[in-house]
Amino acid sequence: MATMKDVAKMAGVSTSTVSHVINNDRFVSDAIRAKVDAAIKTLNYAPSALARSLKLNQTHTIGMLITASSNPFYSELVRGVERSCFERGYRNLETLLQKRVDGLLLLCTETHLPSPEIMSRYPSIPTVMMDWAPFEGESDVIQDNSLLGGETATQHLIDNGYTRIACITGPQDKTPARLRLEGYRKAMNRAGLAVHEGYEIIGDFEFQGGFTAMNSLLALEEPPHAVFTGNDAMAVGAYHALYQAGLKVPQDMAVVGYDDIELARYMTPPLTTIHQPKDELGELAVDVLIHRMAQPALEQQRLFLTPELVERGSV
């Protein structure tokens, strides 16, 4: 692993100059800065946050411990803390990597995605991407088979006699959302059913997105009789839109969700959904990471967990 001295030697400057360039705490000419940056890139140098912490007596790290709970309050709380930390410069993947962690589990569902450039600077740190991978790389990936899940959800509606079936999908920049939509289309095509204009709506995986999308479907001249939502959160929003419209599930509109979150079984009626094996995902991710740390030369692993239909009362 390259050191600051190696960077200084290649750039033909002192180590203090390299430090000033990295920390941007003193004027350095553009020409010298360019030489240092080029040396850093060539050597793939990554500064040590541990050394900086000892020098400054500050880690620039905030810890947060959350006890296990299915209460959605905690996920909302964590999201607020995460956003505030990011705005104040505390949420920084590179700072974490600089601390030389033994391994890294990444669940990339936030707006601020990990930078491929930063990740490439730390090729020796084993990483497992959980649920989906935002960029191509050497990291191991564990995710559910979203194509099969979307197909299974839609096929269940077809098997129950529905023909006018809509899909409220998630953001199309996320692989699971794209695959679930593709699964919906695949099942519809295999059954010879038409996807009417306006029956595919791009949502945002949030409650409000499902509410807005369902209202759009209800406003169509020929509304659907059933809908597959790309996740359970949007199904909750869709339920509320139907309630406000004076419609009932499943008498007026059948709904199938995706994820099988804790709330799904307590909805009225309980939501039929695609179960994602969340506990298994977490356990497998840890096992794969530990295995990778022990044998870093192994080929990249891309593992798929099989989604399962959970039949309740919404179809």
Side-chain angles (χ1 to χ4, degrees), residues 146-167 178-196 200 227-228 256 258 274 309:
S146 289
L147 176 64
L148 176 61
E151 187 178 353
T152 300
T154 308
Q155 187 61 49
H156 180 64
L157 291 169
I158 294 171
D159 290 343
N160 277 272
Y162 293 98
T163 56
R164 282 161 47 187
I165 305 170
C167 178
R178 289 199 305 271
L179 290 176
R180 290 168 196 176
L181 175 60
E182 186 178 335
Y184 158 79
R185 290 171 175 170
K186 185 177 179 181
M188 294 291 283
N189 182 64
R190 185 175 57 237
L193 297 176
V195 176
H196 297 284
E200 291 182 0
V227 62
F228 161 50
V256 176
Y258 203 112
I274 298 295
L309 177 72

Side-chain angles (χ1 to χ4, degrees), residues 22-230:
I22 292 172
N23 296 312
N24 200 28
D25 58 1
R26 189 173 298 181
F27 173 77
V28 178
S29 70
D30 292 341
I32 296 298
R33 184 178 293 276
K35 287 184 179 181
V36 173
D37 287 339
I40 288 174
K41 188 172 183 179
T42 300
L43 295 172
N44 201 29
Y45 170 70
S48 172
L50 293 175
R52 188 182 304 127
S53 297
L54 290 172
K55 182 178 180 180
L56 301 176
N57 195 30
Q58 182 183 25
T59 65
H60 209 65
T61 303
I62 292 176
M64 184 177 185
L65 176 65
I66 301 292
T67 56
S69 175
S70 59
N71 189 335
F73 164 79
Y74 291 104
S75 62
E76 295 181 15
L77 175 62
V78 170
R79 181 170 57 187
V81 170
E82 181 184 49
R83 182 175 60 250
S84 296
C85 285
F86 182 85
E87 292 170 352
R88 292 158 176 78
Y90 276 88
R91 181 183 175 276
N92 192 315
L93 176 63
E94 187 160 25
T95 299
L96 180 65
L97 292 170
Q98 287 173 5
K99 294 181 186 300
R100 305 296 191 260
V101 292
D102 293 332
L104 190 65
L105 295 175
L106 284 181
L107 183 60
C108 307
T109 57
E110 314 86 4
T111 303
H112 306 286
L113 300 177
S115 163
E117 182 182 351
I118 291 176
M119 295 298 296
S120 67
R121 239 177 266 157
Y122 303 87
S124 62
I125 297 180
T127 304
V128 174
M129 299 279 187
M130 302 170 63
D131 193 37
W132 72 289
F135 49 79
E136 294 298 323
E138 298 303 316
S139 302
D140 295 317
V141 180
I142 304 174
Q143 55 195 152
D144 86 307
N145 191 333
S146 289
L147 176 64
L148 176 61
E151 187 178 353
T152 300
T154 308
Q155 187 61 49
H156 180 64
L157 291 169
I158 294 171
D159 290 343
N160 277 272
Y162 293 98
T163 56
R164 282 161 47 187
I165 305 170
C167 178
I168 302 174
T169 184
Q172 293 302 285
D173 60 344
K174 295 191 175 183
T175 303
R178 289 199 305 271
L179 290 176
R180 290 168 196 176
L181 175 60
E182 186 178 335
Y184 158 79
R185 290 171 175 170
K186 185 177 179 181
M188 294 291 283
N189 182 64
R190 185 175 57 237
L193 297 176
V195 176
H196 297 284
E197 185 177 352
Y199 274 27
E200 291 182 0
I201 297 184
I202 307 299
D204 57 4
F205 278 160
E206 303 290 344
F207 298 117
Q208 181 62 45
F211 177 79
T212 302
M214 180 55 78
N215 279 327
S216 296
L217 290 173
L218 295 177
L220 293 174
E221 186 174 331
E222 195 174 36
H225 292 154
V227 62
F228 161 50
T229 65

